[in-house]
Amino acid sequence: MSAPKEISLKKIANHVDEKRLWGRLMDLGKIGATKNDGVCRLALTDEEIKARQLLIDWAKAMGLSVYTDAISNLFFRYEGLKNDEAPVVTGSHIDSQPTGGKFDGAFGVVAGFEVIAAMQDSGFRPQAPLEIAVWLNEEGSRFSPGMMGSEAFTSRRSMEQILVVEDADGVKTEDALAQTLASFPDIKQRPLGFPIKTFIEAHIEQGPILEAHAVSVGVVTGIQGSRRYRVKVVGEDGHAGTLPTPQRKDALFAAIEMIRAMRHKFDVEDMKYTVGLFEVSPNVPSVIPSTTFFSIDLRHPDWQTLKDMGDLVMTICEQNKGPCTVTVTEIATSESLEFPSEIRECISAAADEIGIANMPILSMAGHDARQLHYHCPTGMIFSPCDGGISHNEMENCNPSDLAEVTCVLAGALAKLSG
Ligand SMILES: [Zn+2]
């Protein structure tokens, strides 16, 4: 085969079409649209099946081949000049929170389509094939925890563990998954975990940093780690008027002491400490609370700090339980991670070559790239979002920021695919 014509990254970037990118995002955002201009598109629902069909229609119109796998991840493939090589992959997710926005996840998938369209328009053929991945259930709002697609693909969680997870109505992942796969009987299935040359995920920042710096492209350095716990405090119910204070086992007061003690202890730089779920029972005005149940979400960019602090949760709860009993369960642990420097340098070099300002940024939220990091060299590119607002129907982005990130993504993927 003859050597391909040299095509500059600038030329590919010149074919990134802001209107086409934005138009596709708006079309995808109509599927599962909420009254307040947001999106509710939960994993493995009819809405999500409709969204998959839209992507498949785009892919077919562009001449891309379509694949799926046992967990219903989707892959859209643009053939390269060396198709026996492992693909360079980009993408994200199309499921949302129940009151989510049009950009979280969707942008990374739509940007992949725009990159390939720009390459086709500019006459660029990559060496290694280029693929767009759509990972199943990143958000975990219907079937929890999320990142099912990327975790199954990278064997970070087994299919057996995933298939038995039920939603709030008792529907099993296994059954919902079978329904989704049956909706697309003609799509060829691939094995999980096939080799990937490099994975780059474009995503909105979901925080305020890029906007504050007025920079449209963030080269993500890594992802801060998290440790999540569930705490159950058991006391004894009793009459609010008659039971003397020294004899009470008030599960609410004990929980408050624990939460306050942790707030004090975890007041260190860059630590994020959240108690987002709190239940009290029987939750009646004149009865002393007998049980409380709450969550702890701890995050810090430095894994050692997070590890040391997280190890104190049990002790602090024990020290503050008073006359009650307490059970602490750690339900999820994610180490802080750093993306390889070659990938970060490749992304910023592509941005420099195209002439787009960029800055390094740490991801404060988890993404599918967290799982792919353990499978192949991985990186991420962030776009600013208005006010850093996300997981919210008001989530919004500037079309030109998204186009600039897509240009950089196109440049990086072109370099990585050789
Ligand atoms: Zn996301």
Side-chain angles (χ1 to χ4, degrees):
M1 192 170 286
S2 62
K5 265 199 326 258
E6 273 296 323
I7 288 180
S8 72
L9 301 189
K10 253 197 170 131
K11 183 168 177 199
I12 301 171
N14 283 340
H15 284 85
V16 167
D17 183 336
E18 186 181 310
K19 274 204 182 119
R20 181 170 56 189
L21 173 74
W22 187 259
R24 281 199 168 130
L25 271 166
M26 295 306 110
D27 286 347
L28 182 54
K30 282 179 199 152
I31 304 174
T34 60
K35 271 190 286 201
N36 300 320
D37 217 21
V39 169
C40 173
R41 198 167 49 229
L42 308 185
L44 303 176
T45 56
D46 290 346
E47 295 300 323
E48 203 218 32
I49 289 173
K50 272 186 224 158
R52 285 165 181 260
Q53 187 58 56
L54 179 67
L55 304 185
I56 292 166
D57 293 345
W58 291 344
K60 288 195 170 154
M62 291 167 68
L64 311 181
S65 22
V66 184
Y67 299 91
T68 188
D69 61 17
I71 194 73
S72 80
N73 294 317
L74 279 173
F75 302 94
F76 303 106
R77 179 178 173 100
Y78 179 43
E79 300 292 351
L81 296 166
K82 294 180 179 166
N83 290 315
D84 49 340
E85 284 191 9
V88 170
V89 180
T90 186
S92 192
H93 60 95
I94 55 167
D95 68 310
S96 77
Q97 293 288 335
T99 52
K102 293 194 261 314
F103 304 91
D104 176 359
F107 168 58
V109 171
V110 172
F113 279 95
E114 187 51 42
V115 164
I116 295 177
M119 287 181 176
Q120 289 177 329
D121 292 350
S122 68
F124 175 84
R125 265 272 171 197
Q127 295 284 324
L130 191 61
E131 297 194 6
I132 305 160
V134 183
W135 306 110
L136 173 74
N137 186 26
E138 194 274 344
E139 299 288 3
S141 37
R142 181 181 176 198
F143 297 102
S144 179
M147 299 207 197
M148 279 181 172
S150 52
E151 283 194 326
F153 184 86
T154 56
S155 301
R156 305 259 302 156
R157 198 162 23 138
S158 72
M159 285 296 280
E160 291 70 33
Q161 280 173 296
I162 289 172
L163 293 178
V164 294
V165 173
E166 291 181 8
D167 70 6
D169 299 325
V171 177
K172 268 191 182 173
T173 302
E174 184 172 20
D175 298 323
L177 177 62
Q179 197 192 344
T180 293
L181 287 171
S183 305
F184 304 98
D186 301 333
I187 302 181
K188 219 172 131 188
Q189 271 206 33
R190 277 176 173 174
L192 291 168
F194 58 79
I196 291 179
K197 194 171 171 185
T198 319
F199 177 70
I200 308 281
E201 179 170 6
H203 205 282
I204 61 167
E205 181 201 329
Q206 306 182 280
I209 295 167
L210 291 173
E211 189 180 59
H213 286 81
V215 171
S216 59
V217 172
V219 181
V220 182
T221 54
I223 300 180
Q224 76 171 344
S226 64
R227 295 184 76 174
R228 288 165 207 196
Y229 305 82
R230 294 289 183 268
V231 182
K232 188 177 183 185
V233 185
V234 178
E236 217 169 78
D237 49 16
H239 194 290
T242 59
L243 195 66
T245 302
Q247 288 170 33
R248 293 185 178 204
K249 294 181 178 175
D250 188 320
L252 177 61
F253 286 166
I256 289 170
E257 290 306 317
M258 295 172 196
I259 291 167
R260 189 159 45 189
M262 284 187 276
R263 187 174 177 191
H264 185 68
K265 193 75 196 173
F266 300 150
D267 184 18
V268 297
E269 202 181 354
D270 292 333
M271 180 68 87
K272 303 266 172 44
Y273 162 60
T274 307
V275 176
L277 176 145
F278 194 97
E279 290 167 1
V280 54
S281 77
N283 204 17
V284 179
S286 298
V287 179
I288 298 158
S290 60
T291 313
T292 47
F293 182 75
F294 62 95
S295 63
I296 300 169
D297 184 316
L298 263 191
R299 303 190 197 209
H300 196 280
D302 178 61
W303 176 234
Q304 195 55 49
T305 308
L306 181 60
K307 216 169 153 307
D308 293 346
M309 291 287 165
D311 288 349
L312 297 174
V313 168
M314 177 84 86
T315 315
I316 295 173
C317 289
E318 280 291 335
Q319 284 168 348
N320 291 278
K321 67 182 180 182
C324 302
T325 59
V326 63
T327 326
V328 179
T329 315
E330 184 161 4
I331 60 153
T333 314
S334 303
E335 287 184 31
S336 312
L337 65 86
E338 200 174 271
F339 292 127
S341 56
E342 317 85 84
I343 304 294
R344 286 148 51 190
E345 281 157 19
C346 172
I347 296 168
S348 55
D352 294 342
E353 201 176 320
I354 300 166
I356 294 174
N358 59 97
M359 63 177 272
I361 183 170
L362 178 76
S363 175
M364 299 297 184
H367 298 286
D368 291 307
R370 174 192 281 293
Q371 313 307 332
L372 271 296
H373 172 74
Y374 299 101
H375 184 70
C376 61
T378 293
M380 288 192 80
I381 313 178
F382 275 174
S383 147
C385 55
D386 291 2
I389 294 168
S390 179
H391 284 191
N392 184 316
E393 292 167 295
M394 300 302 290
E395 185 180 276
N396 198 19
C397 293
N398 184 339
S400 71
D401 288 338
L402 298 182
E404 293 206 326
V405 170
T406 306
C407 288
V408 175
L409 178 67
L413 293 172
K415 280 163 87 83
L416 292 163
S417 65

